[in-house]
Amino acid sequence: MLDSIKSLARQYAADITQTRRHLHAHPELSFQEQNTARFVADQLKAIGITPQEGVADTGLVAIIEGRNASSRVVALRADMDALPIHEANNVPYKSTVDGVMHACGHDAHTASLLGVARILHVLRDQFDGTVKLVFQPGEEKAPGGASLMIKEGVLENPRPISMLGQHVAPNIPVGKIGFREGMYMASTDELYLTVRGKGGHAAMPDNLVDPVLIASHIIVALQQIISRNCPPASPSVLSFGRFIADGVTNVIPNEVTIQGTFRCMNEEWRAEGKRRMVKLAEGIAEAMGGSCEFTVVHGYPFLKNHPELTRRVRAQAVEYMGAENVVDLDLWMAGEDFAFYSQVVDSCFYRLGTRNEDRGIISGVHTPTFDIDEDALETGAGLMSWLAVRELAEM
Ligand SMILES: [Zn+2]
Ligand SMILES: [Zn+2]
């Protein structure tokens, strides 16, 4: 089986690259992936698979049944959306859409999963169980396509025992793959504060309620919640990137707006932290004579890789890639909506090395110069096929 998958992945590598280039040249923003969905559906039909379309509007689900199809099910996920970034690369497959770019590698994930579909469709009478392919919209935008697809039943009928997802990694050399057991990525919540006071002439503060001073106290106090109330062993980040007090030297404004992000890897602390932040900010503003309107936009939960599943999958990756090409990942405080699946089924989200310093492919995700070493795509399709088949055999 290992040799069959490797040879099919090699055979299809050029096509998978073409698919990736097509997707890269025609990016679509989150929840607007109509053409991408149509393209994916056409590709699947050409392979001989009829997908279920229109799941969460632009998502698709495809089923590949092996022998004893009802015995067990593993799900594989690729996200399909692009970002509002204008591509700065000069490559033949450069984005043809101004201001929209596949800068997070979701084109590579989708192309790889189409490669998996082709490989496993060919091999379907050589493995037991069912593989469910999930082509997901809207990873980059709240509430996350994963949460919508789950609501529409993607994890039911048939219900997967485990689920795998992969993501390109511009910090890991091409040819390598990364795993981490347990907590891996952070929950993400957006914080929006409007601090109101009473503005006026800066020379007469005694007649005013200074929202700039109130907002400053709030920022410092909120950071102390992280320092004093978060369990020390639990990673947590609070960052404010926007603090607008639009007065001038001698005018104190009426209000200050603040925006920030709160990230952690513990759902209890996440709820508790937000509760404390709102209470403290409102209390400080009130005590100082002003008010604070605090809005939390609840984002993705933290992503936990199921330990036993990850251990099994990692061992299978060693079989496929060689131990020297399987690396351990550090915690990453970015968010990822694959986390929604990980809250429902045993899941493993791993990273596909796409860096190539010799070829200058070093830019991070979400930058205008992001690109991948396309040699990663053969691994992206082949390894995922292998992991799915092995997981079905081991469950
Ligand atoms: Zn992204
Ligand atoms: Zn991404």
Side-chain angles (χ1 to χ4, degrees):
M1 182 58 96
L2 184 72
D3 293 337
S4 309
I5 289 176
K6 278 193 170 172
S7 105
L8 287 172
R10 201 167 311 125
Q11 195 182 320
Y12 300 153
D15 289 349
I16 298 169
T17 299
Q18 282 316 308
T19 299
R20 182 260 166 172
R21 290 184 172 201
H22 173 87
L23 293 168
H24 192 88
H26 302 94
E28 293 176 298
L29 291 172
S30 308
F31 302 112
Q32 299 172 28
E33 306 91 342
Q34 276 86 5
N35 294 329
T36 305
R38 206 168 306 128
F39 176 81
V40 168
D42 289 345
Q43 295 275 311
L44 289 168
K45 286 173 195 160
I47 295 167
I49 302 168
T50 306
Q52 181 190 354
E53 298 177 57
V55 184
D57 205 14
T58 47
L60 305 94
V61 179
I63 298 284
I64 302 171
E65 296 189 329
R67 298 170 309 210
N68 306 313
S70 61
S71 56
R72 43 213 156 179
V73 182
V74 63
L76 309 175
R77 175 269 210 168
D79 40 12
M80 305 190 291
D81 54 328
L83 286 159
I85 292 177
H86 190 76
E87 177 152 20
N89 294 311
N90 250 325
V91 287
Y93 47 90
K94 181 180 173 160
S95 170
T96 57
V97 186
D98 276 353
V100 184
M101 176 188 176
H102 269 295
C104 201
H106 299 184
D107 51 346
H109 309 160
T110 300
S112 294
L113 194 58
L114 284 168
V116 171
R118 207 167 157 191
I119 292 168
L120 294 185
H121 183 72
V122 169
L123 298 175
R124 65 192 182 282
D125 58 358
Q126 293 178 44
F127 64 86
D128 283 322
T130 293
V131 180
K132 191 177 223 181
L133 309 175
V134 177
F135 294 90
Q136 183 209 299
E139 191 286 320
E140 299 283 4
K141 193 171 175 186
S147 71
L148 301 181
M149 288 193 90
I150 291 170
K151 270 193 201 121
E152 295 201 10
V154 74
L155 297 181
E156 305 299 332
N157 302 322
R159 183 179 179 84
I161 306 289
S162 51
M163 186 151 188
L164 307 176
Q166 62 182 340
H167 202 292
V168 297
N171 57 330
I172 298 176
V174 65
K176 293 189 189 294
I177 203 94
F179 290 94
R180 185 182 180 90
E181 283 175 33
M183 58 173 101
Y184 173 43
M185 293 178 70
S187 60
T188 54
D189 294 306
E190 295 173 2
L191 312 176
Y192 298 87
L193 293 78
T194 303
V195 179
R196 296 200 174 86
K198 179 169 174 274
H201 200 301
M204 297 179 283
D206 52 319
N207 293 333
L208 311 177
V209 176
D210 181 357
V212 181
L213 184 63
I214 298 172
S216 304
H217 275 283
I218 287 174
I219 293 267
V220 173
L222 294 186
Q223 291 296 355
Q224 289 166 2
I225 288 181
I226 304 299
S227 146
R228 297 295 85 184
N229 300 115
C230 175
S234 189
S236 194
V237 168
L238 177 66
S239 292
F240 292 98
R242 187 176 174 91
F243 185 111
I244 303 294
D246 199 17
V248 292
T249 57
N250 56 1
V251 177
I252 289 172
N254 280 317
E255 63 176 41
V256 172
T257 55
I258 302 172
Q259 294 180 12
T261 180
F262 173 49
R263 293 159 185 249
C264 63
M265 297 192 176
N266 171 334
E267 292 299 319
E268 277 152 43
W269 159 242
R270 180 186 176 202
E272 169 72 5
K274 286 187 279 191
R275 194 188 60 74
R276 281 181 179 270
M277 280 187 228
V278 173
K279 196 167 175 219
L280 190 57
E282 288 175 350
I284 288 170
E286 198 195 325
M288 295 179 75
S291 67
C292 175
E293 189 183 316
F294 198 137
T295 305
V296 179
V297 176
H298 306 282
Y300 305 159
F302 86 98
L303 194 160
K304 57 173 189 259
N305 284 325
H306 189 269
E308 284 106 80
L309 169 65
T310 305
R311 234 169 285 149
R312 284 201 301 273
V313 167
R314 191 187 197 285
Q316 296 304 339
V318 167
E319 285 278 295
Y320 192 92
M321 316 271 300
E324 69 282 9
N325 292 319
V326 178
V327 302
D328 294 314
L329 299 168
D330 289 329
L331 288 178
W332 195 27
M333 296 308 283
E336 161 64 55
D337 81 344
F338 187 81
F340 284 112
Y341 304 116
S342 84
Q343 307 277 324
V344 183
V345 293
D346 296 356
S347 298
C348 177
F349 192 65
Y350 59 91
R351 305 296 299 275
L352 176 69
T354 53
R355 183 184 187 85
N356 188 331
E357 292 191 21
D358 296 338
R359 296 176 49 199
I361 300 171
I362 54 170
S363 293
V365 291
H366 294 214
T367 69
T369 51
F370 173 75
D371 201 357
I372 63 163
D373 184 324
E374 292 174 321
D375 286 350
L377 295 167
E378 184 179 328
T379 306
L383 176 67
M384 196 176 231
S385 303
W386 169 246
L387 297 179
V389 166
R390 292 306 303 156
E391 186 55 20
L392 286 172
E394 286 204 21
M395 275 172 194

